[in-house]
Amino acid sequence: MDLHILDHRLRVTSISKNGLVNYTYPLIKLIFLRNRTRCKFFSLTETPENYTVVLDEEGFKELQPSEHLQVESSIWLPLNVVSNGNVSSSLQAVGVTKIAKSVIGPLAQQHVSVFMLSTYQTDFILVREKDLSVVISTLEEEFNIYKEVEGESVPVRSQDVSNGLQKNGKEGKRGYRIPPSNSRSALKSFPIGTNFCIFSIQPTVHPVLIPQNQFCVMSLDPDTLPSIATTLIDVLFYSNSPKEDNQSSPNQDLDCIKFFSFSLIDGYISLVMDTEAQRQFPADLLFTSSSGELWRMVRIGGQPLGFDECGIVAQISQPLADGDISAYYISTFSFDHALVPEEDIVSVTDMLQQQRKEAASS
Amino acid sequence: MDLHILDHRLRVTSISKNGLVNYTYPLIKLIFLRNRTRCKFFSLTETPENYTVVLDEEGFKELQPSEHLQVESSIWLPLNVVSNGNVSSSLQAVGVTKIAKSVIGPLAQQHVSVFMLSTYQTDFILVREKDLSVVISTLEEEFNIYKEVEGESVPVRSQDVSNGLQKNGKEGKRGYRIPPSNSRSALKSFPIGTNFCIFSIQPTVHPVLIPQNQFCVMSLDPDTLPSIATTLIDVLFYSNSPKEDNQSSPNQDLDCIKFFSFSLIDGYISLVMDTEAQRQFPADLLFTSSSGELWRMVRIGGQPLGFDECGIVAQISQPLADGDISAYYISTFSFDHALVPEEDIVSVTDMLQQQRKEAASS
């Protein structure tokens, strides 16, 4: 299997609900005006707490510092697992179990935090740039590791990294690019990641929320993005709940949760929204997998998790993997969110309840 | 002839070039999201100096005070001249001469300032609300005056006004509405207004600028506004000149002038842009008159004119009227702008030069 370190240096930021007004200008530019920005990696996820914006340094330049903007201090690099030249979501997909054991587990053993961003096309595993040499030395037994440099895939070995990545020549001339894929949600199991470190013998069992909304994971031809611009602007910027504060209030309004994710990464668009939001868009432009399945959310964390909280997602990903249950996984600034097929939500709920009973009685 | 006092209470504001970033959020809402606002009168005009925003009180609520927002202190009411039940731009249009003599002249005699806003559909003559009783008593000899109240046209007489407008019953049940009209630019002469007061025996002759751009005055089916949203957003919010200050610099960059006007008034859209901006829009959605004529601009004022500057536009409107030359007229926060047919620009230029020679030698 191949592991690609993509050619993006990312920042993970959060814009407060009240502060969105101040960031409408750069965000609309980054979403809709590709000719006016060199940003190639942009993701915006609205949750009840805030807006998580993950973007490359070109995009980050557009965000003026303010009290409404929180910035995680690290540079993050997106990794992408590829099987035999195909992206993980292809027919030879890397499932939860496999990536958990081959990537997440080993990285956790080395205290490497990861930030997950699933999209319609693929799953990005973000790691801190400062952890890169550890990542490479940890994973090079299992993977052929490549670093994308200006559209080319350059093989990387840990001894190169310790000497500085830039010393790699451009011997890998395959010009590797990630293809889009419609096949993801037809699969039974997918990679699932976590932003945990190694977890203790008795890990904290965090509360989970299972809101009632049904979600869909969709894509869109970038050329048709202008056609949904006003709807997308409306949903992203103007459909805020009346709640005025920017604090999490996990025990209210969560029969249904506000959750909407848009990403535009290397020219590919991915949208995660609930069916209520979906109804606002023209049915003929957004596409999902042929099965058109719906997903339910498991939100992890009663209080914001931070970026160094340990062992949280492993508690969910391991049973999901054991049950061979597909999942998208989206980390945000405050919480983690797993999306599982609607038909599996009962068994997932049972599993989570059982887990909490055992934690309480131990 | 009829004069209608429309049912809008308007504010005239200016957003600095640097401040636009802070007002993108409310402006996009006012332009594109009709379901989210009760604003019914909105006009945004970009000039090299600033953005002039004229909008009703519902729209004005959306603009948070800041150092970047200037607000003229008055409430302004839009007037509309109608001939025999048709708007002035219909076949029985009120030309420059006629409106100059019947409206502008008499109001100037009474020291009533006006702020003109020509659109594709019609011409709005804005007067200060505090001047309304003077306006009515001045114009009621010439016009049947109606005040629009919740979609109905209520006859108004000056004795009613002195007793308070609200004492008018709703006896005028004609439910008068301004129809859109494509016929405007087919006409030879149009109303032209001015923000002058009565002018002195020896009025100041202000510099004029005649930039090289060719302008077109266009409209758009409001239902197709979403189709041009990203282009309109790009042109309005992101195509700023590199100039960073918000001061007028009339002697530079004015071979061509930055001028773009968008209005959405009672559901009708009007756009004034130069041919360079026009090329960015899909040709099949914006429409102009069948003759598709182009217009040249005369910008009046070397320094910002303010709202009580006197006799400026009369210097232009009177000769235009004498020459039976069509004109649109758009006042902005800092300057006035007349648009005349391209084929008339030579004679207009000659006339203006002659006028300035005479002023210099007198």
Side-chain angles (χ1 to χ4, degrees):
Chain A
M1 285 196 299
D2 294 344
L3 182 81
H4 285 255
I5 305 161
L6 304 183
D7 194 11
H8 302 291
R9 302 181 77 240
L10 306 180
R11 304 302 297 255
V12 179
T13 73
S14 164
I15 297 170
S16 71
K17 289 270 168 165
N18 290 340
L20 186 69
V21 171
N22 305 316
Y23 290 95
T24 306
Y25 185 90
L27 293 176
I28 282 180
K29 180 176 173 179
L30 292 167
I31 295 170
F32 295 106
L33 305 178
R34 279 184 290 167
N35 293 339
R36 294 209 177 267
T37 173
R38 295 199 292 177
C39 177
K40 301 294 183 197
F41 193 112
F42 176 84
S43 165
L44 171 63
T45 303
E46 179 176 10
T47 58
E49 305 75 38
N50 49 43
Y51 296 83
T52 297
V53 181
V54 180
L55 73 183
D56 63 21
E57 290 178 309
E58 286 290 339
F60 183 62
K61 284 181 197 166
E62 305 283 345
L63 305 183
Q64 297 302 310
S66 84
E67 59 181 329
H68 297 292
L69 181 71
Q70 290 184 72
V71 182
E72 206 283 326
S73 58
S74 312
I75 298 288
W76 296 77
L77 304 178
L79 312 180
N80 197 231
V81 172
V82 178
S83 297
N84 299 329
N86 296 315
V87 176
S88 59
S89 57
S90 74
L91 287 176
Q92 298 185 330
V94 179
V96 173
T97 308
K98 201 166 182 183
I99 200 176
K101 290 187 176 168
S102 64
V103 180
I104 303 300
L107 291 181
Q109 293 289 336
Q110 300 297 322
H111 296 235
V112 174
S113 295
V114 304
F115 184 97
M116 279 297 296
L117 180 62
S118 291
T119 69
Y120 180 87
Q121 290 81 17
T122 190
D123 301 274
F124 297 100
I125 308 149
L126 275 57
V127 298
R128 288 187 170 100
E129 186 176 51
K130 70 176 174 57
D131 293 331
L132 187 60
S133 61
V134 178
V135 168
I136 291 170
S137 62
T138 305
L139 300 179
E140 67 184 347
E141 291 296 311
E142 187 83 15
F143 294 93
N144 298 314
I145 302 178
Y146 297 90
K147 182 156 177 65
E148 304 267 338
V149 180
E150 296 172 5
E152 297 176 356
S153 296
V154 182
V156 177
R157 288 174 298 276
S158 58
Q159 63 265 36
D160 300 325
V161 177
S162 56
N163 293 331
L165 260 178
Q166 64 281 10
K167 293 194 179 173
N168 283 299
K170 293 186 179 179
E171 62 270 38
K173 295 285 188 190
R174 284 190 287 161
Y176 206 88
R177 288 202 44 86
I178 306 162
S181 166
N182 290 358
S183 61
R184 177 193 173 117
S185 50
L187 297 169
K188 196 59 192 159
S189 60
F190 299 127
I192 185 163
T194 162
N195 57 0
F196 71 156
C197 314
I198 189 165
F199 51 88
S200 62
I201 309 296
Q202 198 67 268
T204 307
V205 177
H206 280 269
V208 295
L209 284 157
I210 301 179
Q212 294 301 311
N213 345 26
Q214 299 167 305
F215 289 89
C216 38
V217 182
M218 311 182 85
S219 189
L220 177 72
D221 180 343
D223 292 337
T224 64
L225 183 58
S227 307
I228 64 157
T230 52
T231 306
L232 188 55
I233 287 171
D234 195 6
V235 168
L236 274 178
F237 295 101
Y238 298 92
S239 63
N240 300 330
S241 57
K243 188 161 51 179
E244 291 297 315
D245 64 350
N246 61 353
Q247 295 301 306
S248 163
S249 36
N251 296 320
Q252 69 181 55
D253 298 324
L254 284 175
D255 275 357
C256 283
I257 197 172
K258 180 86 182 181
F259 187 94
F260 188 99
S261 185
F262 169 91
S263 65
L264 175 54
I265 298 173
D266 288 328
Y268 296 111
I269 294 171
S270 173
L271 293 148
V272 179
M273 67 184 84
D274 67 13
T275 49
E276 187 184 328
Q278 183 196 12
R279 278 192 288 274
Q280 299 180 52
F281 289 87
D284 57 334
L285 292 176
L286 298 185
F287 51 86
T288 183
S289 66
S290 55
S291 58
E293 64 215 310
L294 296 172
W295 301 77
R296 289 287 295 279
M297 176 178 289
V298 178
R299 189 182 86 159
I300 302 101
Q303 294 295 320
L305 300 172
F307 288 86
D308 298 302
E309 184 83 38
C310 297
I312 304 157
V313 185
Q315 294 172 3
I316 286 177
S317 65
Q318 194 58 48
L320 288 177
D322 292 345
D324 199 25
I325 293 170
S326 303
Y328 290 93
Y329 200 90
I330 299 177
S331 302
T332 65
F333 211 83
S334 301
F335 297 103
D336 277 4
H337 309 79
L339 291 170
V340 301
E342 184 166 45
E343 63 266 27
D344 295 319
I345 191 66
V346 172
S347 61
V348 170
T349 305
D350 288 348
M351 173 273 286
L352 293 169
Q353 285 181 338
Q354 185 61 31
Q355 202 176 40
R356 272 137 198 81
K357 275 186 199 165
E358 290 169 5
S361 64
S362 66
Chain B
M1 285 197 299
D2 295 343
L3 183 81
H4 286 254
I5 304 162
L6 304 183
D7 194 10
H8 302 291
R9 303 181 78 240
L10 306 180
R11 304 302 298 255
V12 179
T13 73
S14 164
I15 297 170
S16 72
K17 290 270 169 164
N18 290 340
L20 186 69
V21 171
N22 305 316
Y23 291 95
T24 306
Y25 185 89
L27 293 175
I28 282 180
K29 180 175 173 180
L30 292 167
I31 294 170
F32 295 107
L33 305 178
R34 279 183 291 166
N35 293 338
R36 295 211 176 264
T37 173
R38 294 199 292 177
C39 177
K40 301 294 183 198
F41 193 113
F42 175 83
S43 165
L44 171 64
T45 303
E46 179 176 9
T47 58
E49 304 76 38
N50 49 42
Y51 297 83
T52 297
V53 181
V54 181
L55 72 182
D56 62 21
E57 289 178 308
E58 287 290 339
F60 183 62
K61 284 180 197 167
E62 304 283 346
L63 305 183
Q64 297 301 311
S66 83
E67 59 181 329
H68 297 292
L69 181 72
Q70 289 184 73
V71 182
E72 206 282 326
S73 58
S74 312
I75 297 289
W76 296 77
L77 304 178
L79 311 181
N80 197 230
V81 171
V82 178
S83 296
N84 299 329
N86 297 316
V87 176
S88 60
S89 57
S90 73
L91 287 175
Q92 298 183 330
V94 179
V96 172
T97 308
K98 200 166 182 182
I99 200 176
K101 289 186 178 169
S102 64
V103 180
I104 304 301
L107 291 181
Q109 294 288 336
Q110 300 297 321
H111 295 235
V112 174
S113 294
V114 304
F115 184 96
M116 279 296 297
L117 181 62
S118 292
T119 69
Y120 180 87
Q121 289 83 15
T122 190
D123 302 273
F124 297 100
I125 308 149
L126 276 56
V127 297
R128 288 187 170 100
E129 186 176 51
K130 69 176 174 57
D131 293 331
L132 187 59
S133 61
V134 178
V135 168
I136 291 170
S137 62
T138 305
L139 300 178
E140 66 184 346
E141 291 297 313
E142 188 83 17
F143 293 94
N144 298 312
I145 302 179
Y146 298 91
K147 181 157 177 63
E148 305 267 338
V149 181
E150 296 172 4
E152 296 176 357
S153 297
V154 183
V156 177
R157 287 174 298 276
S158 58
Q159 64 265 35
D160 300 327
V161 176
S162 56
N163 293 331
L165 260 178
Q166 63 282 7
K167 292 194 178 174
N168 284 299
K170 293 186 178 179
E171 62 271 37
K173 296 284 188 190
R174 285 190 286 160
Y176 206 89
R177 286 199 47 86
I178 307 161
S181 166
N182 290 358
S183 60
R184 177 193 174 121
S185 50
L187 298 170
K188 196 59 192 159
S189 59
F190 299 127
I192 185 164
T194 161
N195 56 1
F196 70 156
C197 315
I198 189 166
F199 52 88
S200 61
I201 308 297
Q202 199 67 266
T204 306
V205 177
H206 282 269
V208 295
L209 284 158
I210 302 178
Q212 294 300 311
N213 346 26
Q214 299 167 305
F215 289 89
C216 38
V217 182
M218 312 183 84
S219 189
L220 177 71
D221 180 343
D223 292 337
T224 64
L225 183 58
S227 307
I228 64 158
T230 51
T231 306
L232 187 56
I233 287 172
D234 195 7
V235 169
L236 273 178
F237 295 102
Y238 297 91
S239 63
N240 300 330
S241 58
K243 188 161 52 179
E244 291 296 315
D245 64 349
N246 61 352
Q247 294 302 305
S248 163
S249 36
N251 295 321
Q252 68 180 57
D253 298 325
L254 284 176
D255 276 356
C256 283
I257 198 172
K258 181 87 183 179
F259 186 95
F260 188 99
S261 185
F262 169 90
S263 65
L264 175 54
I265 298 174
D266 288 328
Y268 296 111
I269 294 171
S270 174
L271 294 147
V272 180
M273 66 184 84
D274 67 13
T275 49
E276 188 185 328
Q278 183 197 11
R279 278 192 288 273
Q280 300 181 52
F281 289 88
D284 57 334
L285 292 176
L286 299 185
F287 50 87
T288 184
S289 66
S290 55
S291 59
E293 64 216 310
L294 296 172
W295 302 77
R296 289 287 296 278
M297 177 178 288
V298 178
R299 189 183 87 159
I300 302 102
Q303 294 295 321
L305 299 172
F307 288 87
D308 298 302
E309 184 83 37
C310 297
I312 303 156
V313 185
Q315 293 172 4
I316 287 177
S317 66
Q318 193 59 48
L320 288 176
D322 292 345
D324 199 24
I325 294 171
S326 303
Y328 290 94
Y329 200 90
I330 298 177
S331 301
T332 66
F333 211 83
S334 301
F335 297 104
D336 278 3
H337 309 80
L339 291 170
V340 301
E342 184 166 45
E343 63 265 28
D344 295 319
I345 191 65
V346 173
S347 60
V348 171
T349 305
D350 289 348
M351 174 272 286
L352 293 169
Q353 286 181 338
Q354 184 62 30
Q355 201 176 40
R356 270 137 198 82
K357 276 186 199 164
E358 289 169 5
S361 63
S362 67

